[in-house]
Amino acid sequence: MPEHTKYLLSENDIPKDWYNIQADLPFEMPPVLHPGTKQPVGPTDLAPLFPMELIKQEVSKERWIEIPEPVREVYRLWRPSPLYRAHRLEKALQTPAKIFYKYEGVSPAGSHKPNTAVAQVFYNKLEGTKRIATETGAGQWGSALALACQLFDIECKVYMVRISYDQKPYRRYMMETWGAKVVASPSKDTNSGRAMLAQDPNCNGSLGLAISEAVEDVVTNPVPSKYSLGSVLNHVLMHQTVIGLETIKQLELAGAEPDVLVGCIGGGSNFGGFAFPFLPAKLKDKNNKLRIVAIEPAAAPSLTRGLYAYDYGDLSMLTPLIKMFTLGHGFIPAPIHAGGLRYHGMAAQIGELYRHGYIEARAVQQRATFEAGVMFARTEGILPAPESAHAIRGAIDEALKCREEGVSRTIVFNLSGHGHFDLTSYDKYLNGKIEDYVLPDEEIRKAQEALPVV
Amino acid sequence: MPEHTKYLLSENDIPKDWYNIQADLPFEMPPVLHPGTKQPVGPTDLAPLFPMELIKQEVSKERWIEIPEPVREVYRLWRPSPLYRAHRLEKALQTPAKIFYKYEGVSPAGSHKPNTAVAQVFYNKLEGTKRIATETGAGQWGSALALACQLFDIECKVYMVRISYDQKPYRRYMMETWGAKVVASPSKDTNSGRAMLAQDPNCNGSLGLAISEAVEDVVTNPVPSKYSLGSVLNHVLMHQTVIGLETIKQLELAGAEPDVLVGCIGGGSNFGGFAFPFLPAKLKDKNNKLRIVAIEPAAAPSLTRGLYAYDYGDLSMLTPLIKMFTLGHGFIPAPIHAGGLRYHGMAAQIGELYRHGYIEARAVQQRATFEAGVMFARTEGILPAPESAHAIRGAIDEALKCREEGVSRTIVFNLSGHGHFDLTSYDKYLNGKIEDYVLPDEEIRKAQEALPVV
């Protein structure tokens, strides 16, 4: 009998609580500020955007927050997700390392995003929300929210970044099949959109602008609407901790103890959800040997090259100010194919953990990432999302280090989604048409000049 | 604690043997004939196309054929596949029926096809094959074979029906990412292809023609090549019995006994693989209450409107003659979106079982099928392949009958794959652009005039 390939859990093993890292952080988080007054925001400031339960979760210091049964019931459609031992990848790399990956691509939307979408929509339903608006870049978040809204019978409007709207029609069709209304951003439906279209009718859009549109939509729409964000915020990362909590149980089943955790990072939600449940021991003892490595794209290197400062989450400066690692809210990353990682900022919790030395960060280039993605597809079978291929690149590099050093380590990474809707980028890679982007310091410096004075 | 949503098995529960229905058939199968001599074929006739082990399996009467460990090792990448209880669909239908579905879309290629691709490639590898050629319509089979060839390090060439090659580039990129060489059929690489191009340079191609090209390729290629077929043949259906064998175990876990089994049917492989393991009791006692229903598209109704006769598997009449239900090898089905069901013939075993009254068949129209697919996506989350949506339609109709009759029955269907690469067809459906096809008797009669005289 060979060692297992997959480590599965039963539905009873779906976590009953989310893990709230806020309870264990050995430092205070800087307050979130109101974009107008620049004073710390209170619940009432956020109430137009979010249901009260999510606002409470955003600031809660309870270690465990119960997952409502209707949310777990939806989770059962795909959770617990499998943990794989990458036997074939290890063999191809001729590494003494043991490589495991947690696979979140089994959700109907194909990524980890539904973990929080379902929770957010549930609380909205409970508080009477009839309609939710959001933005989406590559479409992973939009389709997760469309699915969740469909399951809880809530109207869903998605502002999809124009370039993705045009280039990724499949993602749009998916959202529409789940009943969402999708428009290209910039759109004619908001002031932010119209202003941009007046400036540049052919504007490709950006995530920052799409957020502005969605936020403006919910505060002006006659139907009681709320906004929903797919990453960055504390409650979003917390909902994603089901990933790490399951992984811990599965590694126990495998009799394995991780030496290195690797995840890709854009806004921080799959990385946080995967890594946070492993952190308590390290938060108590910084010398704990577990290394936690975030892999970001060289084209949007907020952790490795961003500034630690208060900044807006969106282009039009409508959102509250968060103290975070940021490239500047006006920064538009190069059009890399990992659209889900093209964001100027970074979850505040991740930033603080990085700043305090609990997690590491590395930036990788696009070609090396696709090389890793193709190698993975050809050994493990699964076609990874370009975002997730960043984590694969990181894991492969760690495994190659093991080979060089002749040391066996246990490497665990989060494979956040599949790449079924990203196949044109694989085609480009195979035909030598994928480029690396060298980001001049000057460009970052310029974008950061517009950082707000707080 | 609510009832389970998924019934999972561990890797140890992956079947150790395939079930060979040939052992239990209470009738003799008509012999397969040589296309030239019209005499029964022997192993040597087939040796240019298939490795000897598969030829043996094709005619074996052993009830159980052991699954080689290297094949089971690859199966572990996604098997056992989950069995779901469709709680949400039942609720939406307000039916007293219990609906279960086996989900084969969890394979890396997104359908049941790798179950046989992996087995076929393994035996080829064992017997020294360096290269395999095949055809593909919608791309499900081609991608399964590409994946399997990649995992066993065999060169793979796929003749992809021109219209799919143009309309489904994602499927092609997937095959290429797994290392296959893909050309549009008709191609310039074979006499069959060149002849067709000379006649009609803009020919859309057909599955029958693509088979001709692949078969011609393997017998003329200087590199030792074999051919591989994704459906119809006995050994292919047998490899797929892992589906039904797992389903039986999972239904036991669920404490459920099926009243009706439903599957979609084109060449017959997912249907056979799903249904055959349930058949022994019924083969012994025809009055056994289990109903087994095959759902075919009204545009390619080989069981419900085809002739029972000897026919070729391909357009150019290169393949052996099989006694089967056929619309005629020259029949080109309307361009429905369930490309995997657009075939003129039907697996001989299925045909015999149908003829002898062990299974039922129904043809459904395209719009009703997409209606079922969208309803399924909006309740169960999973976006089904248009092929699989035929099975959903069948299961929903059975469940509605239960509602009308006020009877609870247990309906189990096979969801053979996801529809991630078929989203343009969903877009068309949502925009009212999907058509039904009424197939005139005259058209079938005409196609069948060319049936060979045996």
Side-chain angles (χ1 to χ4, degrees), chain A residues 5 17 22 58-59 70 96 99 132 173 201 205 217 234 293 295 299 312 331 344 351 365 377 385 390 405 408 430:
Chain A
T5 297
D17 305 274
Q22 207 64 28
E58 187 65 19
V59 296
I99 308 177
I132 298 180
Y173 302 153
D217 172 313
N234 299 348
V293 187
I295 309 289
Y312 300 97
F331 180 79
H344 68 274
Q365 279 288 2
H390 286 72
E405 299 172 11
S408 171
L430 294 172

Side-chain angles (χ1 to χ4, degrees), chain A residues 1-12 14 16 69-70 72-80 84 88 101 106-110 147 150-151 167-174 176-180 373-374 377-383 418-427 430-431, chain B residues 1-12 14 16 69-70 72-80 84 88 101 106-110 147 150-151 167-174 176-180 373-374 377-383 418-427 430-431:
Chain A
M1 174 58 58
E3 276 186 274
H4 276 272
T5 297
K6 299 184 296 298
Y7 295 87
L8 301 177
L9 300 171
S10 94
E11 293 182 359
N12 303 333
I14 294 174
K16 298 204 168 45
E69 190 48 37
R72 294 182 81 234
E73 217 178 295
V74 176
Y75 281 175
R76 283 189 186 91
L77 290 174
W78 71 93
R79 304 211 71 83
Y84 277 87
R88 286 180 168 71
Y101 57 96
V106 292
S107 81
L147 169 65
Q150 176 61 237
L151 294 176
Q167 290 180 353
K168 297 197 170 191
Y170 280 38
R171 273 281 170 204
R172 170 157 62 89
Y173 302 153
M174 189 175 215
E176 288 167 348
T177 303
W178 282 324
V374 169
R378 291 184 176 178
T379 50
E380 296 294 314
I382 297 168
L383 235 147
H418 65 63
H420 296 174
F421 303 109
D422 304 285
L423 277 157
T424 48
S425 58
Y426 279 92
D427 178 54
L430 294 172
N431 288 295
Chain B
M1 171 61 61
E3 275 187 274
H4 276 273
T5 297
K6 297 186 295 302
Y7 295 87
L8 301 177
L9 299 171
S10 95
E11 294 182 359
N12 303 335
I14 295 173
K16 297 201 169 51
E69 190 48 38
R72 293 181 82 235
E73 219 178 293
V74 176
Y75 281 175
R76 284 190 184 89
L77 289 174
W78 71 92
R79 304 211 71 83
Y84 279 87
R88 284 179 170 71
Y101 56 96
V106 294
S107 81
L147 168 66
Q150 178 61 239
L151 294 175
Q167 288 180 354
K168 297 199 173 189
Y170 280 38
R171 273 281 169 202
R172 170 157 62 91
Y173 302 153
M174 189 176 217
E176 288 168 348
T177 303
W178 282 326
V374 169
R378 291 185 176 179
T379 50
E380 295 294 312
I382 297 169
L383 232 147
H418 64 62
H420 296 174
F421 302 109
D422 305 285
L423 277 157
T424 46
S425 59
Y426 280 92
D427 178 52
L430 294 172
N431 289 293

Side-chain angles (χ1 to χ4, degrees), chain B residues 424-438:
Chain B
T424 46
S425 59
Y426 280 92
D427 178 52
K428 281 188 183 154
Y429 172 73
L430 294 172
N431 289 293
K433 289 179 188 158
I434 289 282
E435 285 170 27
D436 288 345
Y437 291 94
V438 178

